Amino acid sequence: MAVVTLIPGDGIGVEIIESVKEIFKAANAPIEWEEQLAGKTALEKHGELLPKSLLDSIERNKIALKGPVETPVGGGFKSINVTLRQIFDLYQNVRPCKNTVGINTRFNDVDLVLFRENTEGLYSGLFLYDERLQIVDSVSRISMKGCLRIVKAAFEYAKTHQRKRVTVVHKANILKKSGGMMLEAAQIAAKDYPDVTWNDKIIDNMCMQLVTKPEQFDVLVTSNLFGDILSDLCAGLVGGLGVVAGANIGDDVAIFEAVHGTAPDIAGKGIANPTAVLRSAILMLEYMGQKEVAKRIDNAIDKTLAVKELCTGDLGGKAGTKEFTQNVIKNLE
Ligand code: NAI
């Protein structure tokens, strides 16, 4: 049994994480959960958003599954997600986006995986503010080390998952140095992956191509800011943030999480859709080498989502979170 840090989080977090626990138990997934608080719930109970016991637990177990958390607005509170990425150097943000039968979208053959650099660029938090002139200069810090490790992660994924092609997304035509470094890193990394073909696209063209012919893409890799925007765009191609998985991965630690928020408008009503956090938990099982049980749960979710009445309200169904969970369990083979 592997021990995993479990962070239910705030709002609908508790309800959707309960669904994961029940389905994993029914599927005999070999996971022992170590529950920890984070966010508003932790602030109320322990007086801090990220208690030391939580950080120690992640450090010890190396793997965590996280529900959405609320970072209070203002008051000097720093985003919990950004803080966790920095503390554990989780430089890869991985977002698989694939169409599912039963979730109607404009396209039906999207199957891509986006690798977003998670620690650098405009999110480095470095800026100069001239109060007199009312001018701010935000620093987009990019390092060759940072570019190389994210590009290598994308190539490695393509190689080990029999993917056809890696596309590097950048703006090197205008941002000559900061935008060009990712491209330079790809040229270096590609030498170690002779069997993986790759190309590059400029971000503006990429957006247009993704919303017109997304099926042509396979593995994408890009910088922090472009990746932040593209990851939601790609989620939109396959049904939105309520159904896609997310992972933040470093060399030592990985945190898997639903990418949607705490949904305060429906929290406590028992109607939240647990699909996104379930898909994230499946990514976690794959990462841990538990591919068989991951596939069983994934198939059960696919089977459930294919029948509208078995789904939650946001997908046009009639089921609450608990009924949806039972429907997935019934579909476990
Ligand atoms: P949100 O994602 O919580 O909600 C947007 C809309 O989507 C709402 O109508 C909500 O009901 C719906 N929705 C979201 N997840 C759903 C689910 N699983 N099932 C059914 N409907 C779902 O975004 P919002 O309102 O901007 O943020 C609310 C709070 O969440 C904020 O405090 C924000 O800071 C936090 N947040 C946390 C994130 C995280 O921890 N990863 C990510 C995004 C926001």
Side-chain angles (χ1 to χ4, degrees), residues 10 36-56 69-72 77-78 80 87:
D10 303 314
Q36 295 288 337
L37 298 181
K40 196 176 162 201
T41 327
L43 188 68
E44 283 163 6
K45 195 153 181 204
H46 299 300
E48 47 189 346
L49 292 171
L50 283 174
K52 185 172 179 305
S53 59
L54 162 69
L55 300 178
D56 288 347
V69 290
E70 187 180 327
T71 304
F77 294 113
K78 194 174 162 187
I80 293 170
I87 293 176

Coordinates of all heavy atoms in Angstrom, one line a residue, residues 10 36-56 69-72 77-78 80 87:
D10 N -11.3 23.1 0.0 CA -12.5 23.9 0.4 C -13.7 23.6 -0.5 O -13.6 23.0 -1.6 CB -12.2 25.3 0.4 CG -11.0 25.6 1.3 OD1 -10.9 25.1 2.4 OD2 -10.0 26.4 0.9
Q36 N -5.0 15.8 5.0 CA -4.5 17.0 5.5 C -5.3 18.2 5.0 O -5.9 18.1 4.0 CB -3.0 17.2 4.9 CG -2.0 16.2 5.4 CD -1.6 16.3 6.8 OE1 -1.7 17.4 7.4 NE2 -1.2 15.2 7.4
L37 N -5.3 19.2 5.9 CA -6.1 20.4 5.5 C -5.2 21.4 4.8 O -4.0 21.6 5.1 CB -6.7 21.1 6.8 CG -7.6 20.3 7.6 CD1 -8.1 21.1 8.8 CD2 -8.8 19.8 6.8
A38 N -5.9 22.2 3.9 CA -5.2 23.3 3.2 C -6.3 24.4 2.9 O -7.4 24.0 2.8 CB -4.4 22.9 2.0
G39 N -5.8 25.6 2.7 CA -6.8 26.6 2.3 C -7.6 27.2 3.4 O -7.1 27.2 4.6
K40 N -8.8 27.7 3.1 CA -9.6 28.4 4.1 C -9.9 27.5 5.3 O -9.9 27.9 6.4 CB -10.9 28.8 3.4 CG -11.7 29.8 4.1 CD -12.9 30.1 3.3 CE -14.0 30.8 4.2 NZ -15.3 30.7 3.5
T41 N -10.2 26.2 5.0 CA -10.5 25.2 6.1 C -9.3 25.2 7.1 O -9.5 25.1 8.3 CB -10.7 23.8 5.5 OG1 -11.3 23.9 4.2 CG2 -11.5 23.0 6.4
A42 N -8.1 25.2 6.5 CA -6.9 25.1 7.4 C -6.7 26.4 8.1 O -6.3 26.4 9.3 CB -5.6 24.8 6.5
L43 N -7.0 27.5 7.5 CA -6.8 28.8 8.1 C -7.7 28.9 9.3 O -7.3 29.4 10.4 CB -7.1 29.9 7.1 CG -6.9 31.3 7.5 CD1 -5.4 31.6 7.7 CD2 -7.4 32.4 6.5
E44 N -9.0 28.4 9.2 CA -9.9 28.5 10.3 C -9.5 27.6 11.4 O -9.6 27.9 12.6 CB -11.3 28.1 9.8 CG -12.0 29.2 9.0 CD -13.2 28.7 8.1 OE1 -13.5 27.5 8.2 OE2 -13.7 29.5 7.4
K45 N -8.9 26.4 11.1 CA -8.6 25.4 12.1 C -7.2 25.6 12.7 O -7.0 25.5 13.9 CB -8.7 24.0 11.6 CG -8.8 22.9 12.6 CD -9.5 21.7 12.2 CE -9.5 20.7 13.4 NZ -9.6 19.4 12.9
H46 N -6.2 25.9 11.8 CA -4.8 26.0 12.3 C -4.2 27.4 12.2 O -3.0 27.5 12.6 CB -3.9 25.0 11.5 CG -4.3 23.6 11.5 ND1 -4.3 22.9 12.7 CD2 -4.7 22.7 10.6 CE1 -4.7 21.6 12.5 NE2 -5.0 21.5 11.2
G47 N -5.0 28.3 11.7 CA -4.5 29.7 11.6 C -3.5 29.9 10.5 O -2.8 30.9 10.4
E48 N -3.3 28.9 9.6 CA -2.5 29.1 8.4 C -3.0 28.4 7.2 O -3.7 27.3 7.4 CB -1.0 28.8 8.7 CG -0.8 27.5 9.4 CD 0.6 27.2 9.8 OE1 1.5 27.9 9.4 OE2 0.8 26.3 10.6
L49 N -2.8 28.9 6.0 CA -3.3 28.3 4.8 C -2.6 27.0 4.4 O -3.3 26.1 3.9 CB -3.2 29.3 3.6 CG -4.0 30.5 3.6 CD1 -3.6 31.5 2.5 CD2 -5.5 30.2 3.5
L50 N -1.3 26.9 4.7 CA -0.6 25.7 4.4 C 0.1 25.2 5.7 O 1.3 25.6 5.9 CB 0.5 26.0 3.3 CG 0.0 26.1 1.9 CD1 1.1 26.5 0.9 CD2 -0.6 24.8 1.4
P51 N -0.5 24.5 6.5 CA 0.1 24.1 7.8 C 1.3 23.2 7.6 O 1.4 22.5 6.6 CB -1.0 23.2 8.5 CG -2.3 23.5 7.7 CD -1.9 24.0 6.4
K52 N 2.2 23.3 8.6 CA 3.5 22.6 8.5 C 3.2 21.0 8.3 O 3.9 20.3 7.6 CB 4.4 22.9 9.7 CG 5.7 22.2 9.6 CD 6.7 22.7 10.7 CE 8.0 22.0 10.6 NZ 8.0 20.5 10.6
S53 N 2.2 20.6 9.0 CA 1.9 19.1 9.0 C 1.6 18.7 7.5 O 1.9 17.6 7.1 CB 0.7 18.8 9.9 OG -0.4 19.5 9.5
L54 N 0.9 19.6 6.8 CA 0.6 19.3 5.4 C 1.9 19.2 4.5 O 2.1 18.2 3.8 CB -0.3 20.3 4.8 CG -0.4 20.4 3.3 CD1 -1.1 19.2 2.7 CD2 -1.0 21.6 2.8
L55 N 2.8 20.2 4.7 CA 4.0 20.2 3.9 C 4.9 19.0 4.3 O 5.5 18.4 3.4 CB 4.8 21.5 4.2 CG 4.0 22.8 3.8 CD1 4.8 24.1 4.1 CD2 3.6 22.8 2.3
D56 N 4.9 18.7 5.6 CA 5.7 17.5 6.0 C 5.2 16.2 5.4 O 5.9 15.3 5.0 CB 5.7 17.4 7.6 CG 6.5 18.4 8.3 OD1 7.3 19.1 7.5 OD2 6.4 18.6 9.5
V69 N -8.8 24.7 -3.5 CA -8.7 25.4 -2.3 C -8.9 26.9 -2.5 O -8.7 27.4 -3.6 CB -7.3 25.3 -1.7 CG1 -7.0 23.9 -1.1 CG2 -6.2 25.6 -2.6
E70 N -9.4 27.5 -1.5 CA -9.7 28.9 -1.6 C -8.6 29.7 -0.9 O -8.2 29.5 0.2 CB -11.1 29.2 -0.8 CG -11.5 30.6 -1.0 CD -12.8 30.9 -0.3 OE1 -13.7 30.0 -0.2 OE2 -13.0 32.1 0.2
T71 N -8.0 30.6 -1.7 CA -7.0 31.6 -1.2 C -7.8 32.9 -0.9 O -8.3 33.5 -1.9 CB -5.9 31.9 -2.2 OG1 -5.3 30.6 -2.6 CG2 -4.9 32.8 -1.6
P72 N -7.9 33.3 0.4 CA -8.6 34.6 0.6 C -8.1 35.7 -0.2 O -6.9 35.8 -0.4 CB -8.4 34.8 2.1 CG -7.9 33.5 2.7 CD -7.3 32.8 1.6
F77 N -2.3 37.4 1.3 CA -2.3 35.9 1.1 C -1.7 35.6 -0.3 O -2.2 36.2 -1.3 CB -3.7 35.3 1.2 CG -4.2 35.5 2.6 CD1 -5.3 36.3 2.9 CD2 -3.6 34.8 3.6 CE1 -5.8 36.4 4.1 CE2 -4.1 34.8 4.9 CZ -5.2 35.7 5.2
K78 N -0.8 34.7 -0.4 CA -0.2 34.3 -1.6 C -0.9 33.0 -2.1 O -1.3 32.2 -1.3 CB 1.3 34.0 -1.4 CG 2.1 33.9 -2.7 CD 3.6 33.7 -2.3 CE 4.3 33.2 -3.5 NZ 5.7 32.9 -3.2
I80 N -2.1 29.6 -2.9 CA -1.7 28.3 -2.3 C -1.0 27.4 -3.4 O 0.0 26.8 -3.3 CB -2.9 27.6 -1.7 CG1 -3.3 28.4 -0.5 CG2 -2.5 26.1 -1.3 CD1 -4.6 27.9 0.1
I87 N 7.5 25.6 -3.6 CA 8.2 24.8 -2.5 C 8.8 23.5 -3.0 O 9.9 23.1 -2.7 CB 7.2 24.6 -1.3 CG1 6.8 25.9 -0.6 CG2 7.8 23.6 -0.3 CD1 5.8 25.7 0.5

